[in-house]
Amino acid sequence: METNVFGDTVDGVLGEVLGGASDEVFLVNPTTDTLEALLDVLDTVTIRVNVLAAESRLKELSRDFKLASRAADYEDDGRLTLSVYGEPTNIVVVAETFTTALVAGASRVAGLTTTEESFVDATYDQYAAAFEEAEAFDLRTPGTSHVSETLAGSLGEQTAEDFEDALAAMETARGDESDLSEVTVALLVAAKNEQLLYDISKWGEDTGVASKATFSRTKTDLEERGLIDTEKVPIDVGRPRLRLKLADDRLKEVSAAELASVAKSVLAS
């Protein structure tokens, strides 16, 4: 990377910058949007990126299950590390042979690059030392691949595919007042496939998606609001288990990809 880069989007410019690195880089002080762009770029490049970011921005990333699980996948592959860094600075990509500052101006983005050896060496050493001292950030979220593999193993390929399709159709999965959580989506998909509450909640706890208690509370809320229903299934020993079913006809008539958007509409009505 020896020249400046200009583009219309952060991910486009960041992709070109990271594509010019040969090994390991530091991404310093990224915004939440830059972190999201990084995940898209990591789909196309194979280098390792060490992120030094404000804790507030890393927490914002972790609140969205879709983004956090993708980031966890790259952590599992050894291509991404997330660390807390509190020093104010520009958004910069620091490689062994160049340093690039990312600058947004008007409707375009620029990657302003220097290869001046003494500056680049000093900058790389500075952030390598900062990275060694920084506290690692725990996403507390399993990777997308692990989620899909374990869900297929626990509840079958169809349920896993439906969960993937439902999440893929959502812009975010933050679980706030205007958005569904990954637990809500998992329960709706389980109800679509008439799975047992015990099985989906055990899977969720075992994989680190959420606790059984969270699944139980969310199930109760969805049941009270008329989205899902349950029926008792006798077992040989102990209390009957609960089979989940969709209760609202509007949910029964749509594909998994439409499930989340229709559920949001039902909840808002």
Side-chain angles (χ1 to χ4, degrees), residues 102-207:
L102 297 181
V103 181
S107 60
R108 302 197 75 202
V109 179
L112 306 179
T113 298
T114 180
T115 58
E116 201 281 320
E117 188 172 353
S118 62
F119 179 86
V120 170
D121 288 347
T123 304
Y124 189 88
D125 289 346
Q126 174 188 346
Y127 289 114
F131 179 74
E132 288 296 323
E133 296 175 1
E135 176 187 355
F137 182 80
D138 188 355
L139 285 167
R140 301 182 184 277
T141 303
T144 303
S145 299
H146 183 64
V147 167
S148 297
E149 291 168 5
T150 55
L151 187 55
S154 297
L155 286 92
E157 294 285 348
Q158 187 61 59
T159 300
E161 289 177 12
D162 286 349
F163 185 63
E164 290 176 23
D165 289 347
L167 278 178
M170 298 169 63
E171 288 188 12
T172 60
R174 297 181 182 274
D176 55 24
E177 293 181 357
S178 61
D179 202 4
L180 302 186
S181 72
E182 64 277 14
V183 176
T184 296
V185 175
L187 286 167
L188 290 171
V189 166
K192 183 180 189 316
N193 289 278
E194 299 191 353
Q195 303 282 2
L196 298 180
L197 173 63
Y198 175 86
D199 291 339
I200 189 70
S201 59
K202 183 177 187 304
W203 163 80
E205 186 161 84
D206 288 348
T207 56

Side-chain angles (χ1 to χ4, degrees), residues 196-235:
L196 298 180
L197 173 63
Y198 175 86
D199 291 339
I200 189 70
S201 59
K202 183 177 187 304
W203 163 80
E205 186 161 84
D206 288 348
T207 56
V209 170
S211 67
K212 288 182 180 179
T214 298
F215 272 86
S216 180
R217 286 194 301 271
T218 306
K219 183 275 299 181
T220 299
D221 180 61
L222 292 175
E223 195 169 16
E224 290 175 348
R225 299 174 76 173
L227 272 72
I228 65 173
D229 200 357
T230 58
E231 67 175 19
K232 293 181 179 180
V233 178
I235 57 176

